[in-house]
């Protein structure tokens, strides 16, 4: 069930605005596994009071993008089988509240369960995750860009972090 309206023009299956609920839904994308194209299953875009509940999102670059928004996960949320990880929480002052059982059977050293953009040593992070017992690391993507990666199992984090 999707309750809401499409906002903007995005490379996303469903874009959410304020006061939207997505529940009891399975999305299957066909994004190339190793090619980043900003392809998301669900994007909360500059939204408040967004709830994502009892969903499975797979086959995208990432399952969910919380983009300058406040979003809450409820019920059971499966973000397995996405090329670059589960949930991006970015865009400035983005908050993901986890009040759900999150499943990510494909969490790995190249695909965290959640991440956000940040500066060196984790400074100036664009988003945060609350309510989850996940461990975070600061990951250096290249010479000048960093991300905070959250893992349900820190044993899946890149070695040396």
């Amino acid at each position: 069930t999707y309750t809401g309206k499409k906002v903007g023009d995005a490379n996303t299956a469903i874009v959410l605005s304020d006061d939207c609920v997505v529940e009891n839904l399975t999305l299957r994308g066909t994004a190339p596994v190793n090619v980043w194209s900003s392809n998301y299953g669900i994007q909360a875009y500059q939204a408040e009071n967004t709830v994502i509940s009892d969903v499975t999102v797979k086959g995208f670059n990432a399952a969910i993008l919380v983009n300058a928004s406040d979003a809450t996960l409820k019920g059971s949320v499966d973000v397995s089988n996405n090329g670059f990880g589960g949930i991006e929480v970015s865009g400035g002052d983005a908050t993901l509240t986890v009040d759900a059982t999150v499943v990510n059977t494909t969490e790995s050293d190249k695909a965290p369960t959640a991440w956000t953009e940040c500066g060196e040593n984790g400074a100036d992070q664009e988003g945060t995750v609350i309510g989850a017992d996940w461990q975070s690391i600061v990951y250096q993507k290249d010479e000048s860009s960093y991300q905070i990666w959250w893992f349900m199992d820190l044993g899946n984090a890149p070695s040396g972090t």
Side-chain angles (χ1 to χ4, degrees):
T1 302
Y2 167 63
T3 306
K5 60 183 178 180
K6 186 175 185 317
V7 177
D9 184 24
N11 194 18
T12 303
I14 296 175
V15 180
L16 306 175
S17 61
D18 290 343
D19 304 312
C20 287
V21 175
V22 173
E23 61 186 354
N24 302 322
L25 181 69
T26 298
L27 290 174
R28 292 181 189 92
T30 58
V33 174
N34 295 317
V35 178
W36 182 259
S37 59
S38 297
N39 190 294
Y40 301 92
I42 298 170
Q43 180 181 171
Y45 180 71
Q46 297 180 348
E48 294 181 20
N49 303 317
T50 298
V51 176
I52 301 167
S53 177
D54 295 312
V55 299
T56 297
V57 185
K58 59 185 174 181
F60 297 89
N61 289 151
I64 299 167
L65 170 58
V66 179
N67 186 349
S69 299
D70 294 319
T72 300
L73 302 181
K74 292 188 173 276
S76 177
V77 177
D78 190 338
V79 296
S80 306
N81 297 303
N82 291 285
F84 291 84
I87 307 162
E88 181 177 353
V89 185
S90 293
D93 293 328
T95 302
L96 175 68
T97 301
V98 179
D99 184 18
T101 300
V102 176
V103 177
N104 186 3
T105 61
T106 53
E107 179 182 83
S108 74
D109 63 349
K110 294 182 182 6
T113 291
W115 73 93
T116 191
E117 301 296 325
C118 67
E120 189 173 2
N121 297 318
D124 304 319
Q125 71 186 62
E126 292 185 11
T128 190
V129 174
I130 58 176
D133 188 23
W134 300 344
Q135 302 295 314
S136 65
I137 64 160
V138 176
Y139 177 76
Q140 186 171 2
K141 289 180 10 181
D142 55 39
E143 199 170 291
S144 62
S145 60
Y146 300 84
Q147 295 177 328
I148 295 174
W149 284 12
W150 284 273
F151 290 90
M152 294 189 297
D153 179 351
L154 197 54
N156 292 326
S159 59
T161 57

